[in-house]
Amino acid sequence: MLRMPSCLLKLTRAVLSHKPWALFILIFIFVSFTYIKLYWGIWEDPESRGHPYGLSAEISCAHYVPSSLNTAGGPSPSTGNVFFVETSERTTPSYLFSCSVESAARTHPGSRVVVLMKGVAKGNASLPKHWAFSLLGCFPNVEIRPLDLTELFSGTPLKRWYLWPLRHWEPYFLAVLSDACRIVLMWKFGGIYLDTDVIVLKNLQNLTNALGIQDKNELNGAFLSFKPKHEFMELCMQDFVQNYNGWVWGRQGPELLTRVFKKWCSLRTLKSMSCKGVSALAPEAVYPIPWQDWKKLFEAVSALELHNLLKNTYAVHIWNKLSHGTKLEIPSQALLAQLYSQFCPATYAKMKQD
């Protein structure tokens, strides 16, 4: 049963001794609170539920990862970082999460692959016992770090936005928080940002100051690649605050990036192009499967079909918000199963074992 916060209990007493119309405000707040709790319960990845220590944490690197990878030298400091972000408190990565990070580590051996997780303790505390942390620890270029949001947003226009006390009541808060993190990471540090449901096929370092078109009307931020302190990302931070609406899905994500790019290039309609040093990549670069066709990920494809589909593709967005409840047969000829097999074989081997 949901517990009403103490602040609401105090508000209830105040309302009962005040004007009747104030009761409507109380009901609205309580319904909003209930909706938010239920919403995130519904959309939580089922693979990430449960006790964080429920799965075996012991992974043999020699069994899952070839010695040429797990004993290789560290990343070159001259190359940009690859960032992943988990804005919830969850510390039980799913198979897809593990696959995304593994595929990035394999395709970017000279880069640090930095996974920032809000639920990871600060200081010298060890990571929770979970097979994914153990497996990803086999890759010398993967670093899992705490996500300190106050520190991340400091010195940016988003600091005041984040510190507003009622922010957590918004229905899409975790998604919007993720949108905010990627923009600030690109502006502060530069490098590459990837969602944890993106499987990487090729090295992305040659795509500089770039983002991808998801369809004819909109850009998407599941992949971003920018140099630090780039003006485009600065404009994105400004737009985030000036045109903020946390109650509309995508307003601070795809819609924001699309708005800024159209202004940047003085466009009315979106198209694949490079403008003033910023590139909007064609859909096949990162979004070869449109979100409307996400079920194709679970359909069998031949080797030739797979090759033709992905020949101009750098990474594949899996649309986990839509696809997470669909069972994937392992092994199979399903497109997603073949992506796991080829681009995150260690995670795939763990899936088959389980």
Side-chain angles (χ1 to χ4, degrees):
M1 179 180 294
L2 295 174
R3 291 186 61 190
M4 185 181 293
S6 59
C7 60
L8 289 186
L9 292 174
K10 293 178 182 177
L11 181 59
T12 302
R13 299 189 188 101
V15 167
L16 293 177
S17 62
H18 207 265
K19 298 178 181 180
W21 61 262
L23 184 61
F24 171 78
I25 298 176
L26 174 64
I27 294 172
F28 173 78
I29 293 174
F30 180 73
V31 170
S32 298
F33 173 77
T34 305
Y35 169 76
I36 292 167
K37 291 293 185 181
L38 291 176
Y39 176 87
W40 287 113
I42 290 171
W43 286 110
E44 182 182 16
D45 188 342
E47 291 182 350
S48 68
R49 293 174 182 158
H51 197 284
Y53 308 108
L55 293 174
S56 171
E58 296 303 322
I59 292 290
S60 170
C61 292
H63 175 72
Y64 286 98
V65 183
S67 59
S68 59
L69 284 173
N70 62 40
T71 61
S76 168
S78 62
T79 58
N81 292 332
V82 179
F83 291 101
F84 291 91
V85 172
E86 174 57 69
T87 54
S88 77
E89 297 287 345
R90 292 195 293 265
T91 55
T92 53
S94 66
Y95 293 119
L96 181 54
F97 185 115
S98 175
C99 180
S100 297
V101 178
E102 178 186 344
S103 65
R106 289 179 180 273
T107 51
H108 298 79
S111 302
R112 288 186 177 89
V113 179
V114 181
V115 184
L116 299 170
M117 302 186 72
K118 189 171 183 290
V120 170
K122 300 177 184 177
N124 296 323
S126 59
L127 291 170
K129 293 181 180 180
H130 190 275
W131 65 265
F133 294 130
S134 183
L135 186 149
L136 295 174
C138 296
F139 296 90
N141 57 333
V142 172
E143 300 178 10
I144 298 173
R145 304 178 185 173
L147 174 60
D148 186 331
L149 292 166
T150 302
E151 180 181 352
L152 177 62
F153 293 135
S154 66
T156 76
L158 277 72
K159 178 181 179 180
R160 181 178 295 181
W161 164 84
Y162 175 67
L163 293 178
W164 190 57
L166 298 182
R167 186 68 61 207
H168 291 240
W169 286 78
E170 295 172 353
Y172 310 120
F173 175 67
L174 291 184
V176 173
L177 189 57
S178 177
D179 293 328
C181 287
R182 69 193 70 188
I183 292 171
V184 174
L185 281 169
M186 289 297 93
W187 183 77
K188 275 193 168 184
F189 307 108
I192 295 167
Y193 167 85
L194 293 167
D195 275 358
T196 55
D197 61 347
V198 172
I199 299 178
V200 186
L201 281 56
K202 302 172 185 174
N203 190 286
L204 300 163
Q205 292 290 0
N206 64 325
L207 302 177
T208 305
N209 300 331
L211 65 172
I213 297 174
Q214 71 172 23
D215 56 43
K216 64 180 181 180
N217 299 315
E218 209 161 45
L219 292 159
N220 192 297
F223 156 76
L224 297 172
S225 177
F226 280 87
K227 292 182 178 179
K229 304 299 189 293
H230 196 282
E231 183 183 355
F232 184 86
M233 283 292 108
E234 185 175 1
L235 292 174
C236 286
M237 290 193 298
Q238 294 172 4
D239 186 283
F240 188 99
V241 175
Q242 293 169 1
N243 297 301
Y244 185 76
N245 186 341
W247 294 78
V248 177
W249 176 261
R251 171 75 177 176
Q252 307 308 123
E255 289 186 20
L256 181 152
L257 295 170
T258 304
R259 287 195 303 270
V260 175
F261 187 77
K262 284 182 175 180
K263 290 180 182 178
W264 181 264
C265 298
S266 301
L267 297 174
R268 289 190 175 182
T269 57
L270 191 63
K271 58 183 177 179
S272 174
M273 63 181 297
S274 181
C275 173
K276 294 162 60 176
V278 177
S279 298
L281 307 176
E284 57 264 28
V286 183
Y287 310 101
I289 307 296
W291 68 265
Q292 300 91 333
D293 299 330
W294 65 268
K295 291 184 179 179
K296 288 185 178 180
L297 292 161
F298 299 86
E299 298 173 0
V301 295
S302 67
L304 180 60
E305 289 174 313
L306 181 64
H307 173 75
N308 290 335
L309 177 65
L310 303 179
K311 62 183 179 181
N312 295 317
T313 299
Y314 285 85
V316 181
H317 192 205
I318 306 302
W319 308 109
N320 185 58
K321 185 172 175 62
L322 299 170
S323 65
H324 71 271
T326 304
K327 183 179 180 181
L328 177 64
E329 295 294 335
I330 296 292
S332 73
Q333 291 303 306
L335 172 56
L336 183 54
Q338 294 195 55
L339 292 177
Y340 273 103
S341 175
Q342 293 186 38
F343 301 103
C344 56
T347 301
Y348 186 69
K350 186 68 171 66
M351 294 174 71
K352 289 193 295 183
Q353 174 187 312
D354 293 343

